[in-house]
């Protein structure tokens, strides 16, 4: 019994140290927002953005017209070209992830352990952008998903557009490179910049895109949508939308 108690105390001590270290690391990686960009002033134009959680992955959904206008204001040719491809849709959803795992894993039920471990821990994983054309707003389309709503100032939207444009990897002629059909609806995968690992997952990318637009960001909780959402609600004052009641 004495050995058991000592063993349990040892486990509890290790767990406490890990939790303390995680808290310290979280605080150390927390970045404040930019009040010059976010939130928009009441008398300024703003654009509604939805942050959508698909369980293990998150994405950004917003007006295609507003995002394209921001791209054209700044001469962001790659992003403007991608958005023109979805000209028949009022809303686009954009996500970033590991090329192989993202394309092979439309839902949590499709996750393969070895593929997931490779995406997280194998060095130099190529990345892709996933762009979806939506005929209605994200809350109307993704009725089973957790969704946050926030509004970006025009300057914040410009920064977000620039961030997304930089994520579009160009081909030899400087144009976006389509690499396959997307996971659901009218969607496409595009070659993307950056490499995927446990230190840079899809939810980090979403958080960094919003940080470019002026919102606060913390890398440690952003590894999972729930942590990303918690920080956006707590420090970014994003509004969680209620899920519709199932009939």
């Amino acid at each position: 019994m004495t050995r058991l108690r000592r063993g349990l105390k040892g486990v509890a001590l290790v767990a406490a140290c890990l939790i303390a270290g995680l808290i310290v690391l979280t605080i150390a990686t927390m970045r404040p927002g930019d009040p010059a960009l976010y939130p928009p002033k009441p008398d300024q134009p703003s654009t509604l953005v939805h942050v959508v959680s698909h369980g293990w992955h998150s994405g950004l959904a917003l007006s295609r017209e507003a995002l394209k206008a921001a791209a054209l204001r700044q001469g962001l040719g790659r992003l403007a070209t991608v958005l023109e491809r979805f000209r028949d849709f009022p809303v686009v959803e954009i996500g970033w992830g590991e090329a192989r795992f993202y394309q092979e894993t439309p839902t949590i039920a499709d996750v393969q352990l070895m593929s997931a471990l490779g995406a997280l821990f194998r060095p130099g994983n190529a990345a892709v952008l996933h762009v979806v054309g939506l005929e209605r707003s994200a809350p109307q389309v993704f009725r089973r998903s957790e969704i946050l709503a926030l509004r970006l100032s025009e300057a914040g939207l410009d920064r977000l557009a620039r961030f997304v444009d930089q994520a579009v990897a160009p081909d030899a002629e400087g144009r976006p490179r389509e690499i396959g059909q997307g996971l659901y609806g009218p969607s496409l995968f595009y070659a993307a910049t950056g490499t995927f690992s446990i230190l840079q997952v899809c939810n980090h990318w979403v958080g960094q895109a919003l940080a470019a637009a002026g919102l606060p960001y913390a890398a440690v909780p952003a590894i999972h949508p729930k942590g990303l959402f918690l920080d956006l609600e707590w420090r970014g004052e994003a509004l969680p939308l209620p899920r519709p009641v199932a009939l």
Side-chain angles (χ1 to χ4, degrees):
M1 183 63 71
T2 300
R3 289 183 179 179
L4 177 60
R5 288 177 179 175
R6 288 177 179 174
L8 291 175
K9 287 182 179 179
V11 171
L13 179 60
V14 170
C17 290
L18 289 175
I19 293 172
L22 187 62
I23 292 172
V24 170
L25 191 57
T26 298
I27 294 172
T29 63
M30 291 175 67
R31 289 161 39 188
D34 184 348
L37 297 174
Y38 182 86
K41 304 297 186 293
D43 59 342
Q44 292 179 336
S46 62
T47 298
L48 177 65
V49 175
H50 289 116
V51 190
V52 184
S53 169
H54 296 290
W56 57 273
H57 170 83
S58 60
L60 298 170
L62 69 161
S63 162
R64 186 201 67 88
E65 182 179 353
L67 187 58
K68 185 174 181 181
L72 294 176
R73 279 196 297 270
Q74 303 173 89
L76 306 176
R78 295 195 296 273
L79 176 57
T81 299
V82 170
L83 295 173
E84 180 61 22
R85 189 78 162 80
F86 291 86
R87 59 186 174 275
D88 295 330
F89 302 94
V91 178
V92 289
E93 184 203 22
I94 303 175
W96 178 95
E98 198 267 342
R100 181 177 177 180
F101 182 75
Y102 201 168
Q103 294 180 79
E104 294 178 350
T105 315
T107 68
I108 293 179
D110 298 303
V111 172
Q112 299 294 321
L113 178 60
M114 295 309 297
S115 179
L117 291 176
L120 291 172
F121 299 107
R122 183 176 54 235
N125 291 310
V128 290
L129 281 177
H130 186 239
V131 184
V132 187
L134 304 180
E135 295 181 348
R136 296 171 295 164
S137 69
Q140 293 175 301
V141 174
F142 302 115
R143 296 176 63 82
R144 295 178 179 273
S145 299
E146 291 185 51
I147 299 177
L148 296 182
L150 53 91
R151 302 196 74 89
L152 298 182
S153 65
E154 185 174 281
L157 181 62
D158 283 351
R159 298 283 186 90
L160 177 72
R162 198 178 312 161
F163 182 92
V164 177
D165 181 77
Q166 291 171 352
V168 181
D171 63 14
E173 298 180 357
R175 298 174 301 189
R177 181 161 60 92
E178 296 180 13
I179 59 174
Q181 184 65 35
L183 298 179
Y184 45 82
S187 57
L188 290 167
F189 279 108
Y190 289 87
T193 59
T195 56
F196 186 100
S197 74
I198 194 170
L199 300 178
Q200 179 68 15
V201 301
C202 52
N203 307 302
H204 288 137
W205 186 87
V206 168
Q208 291 160 4
L210 294 172
L215 278 87
Y217 171 68
V220 173
I223 197 169
H224 190 276
K226 288 192 179 297
L228 173 67
F229 275 42
L230 181 63
D231 191 36
L232 290 174
E233 290 180 54
W234 174 39
R235 295 194 298 148
E237 300 180 356
L239 178 66
L241 301 185
R243 297 188 189 186
V245 178
L247 299 178

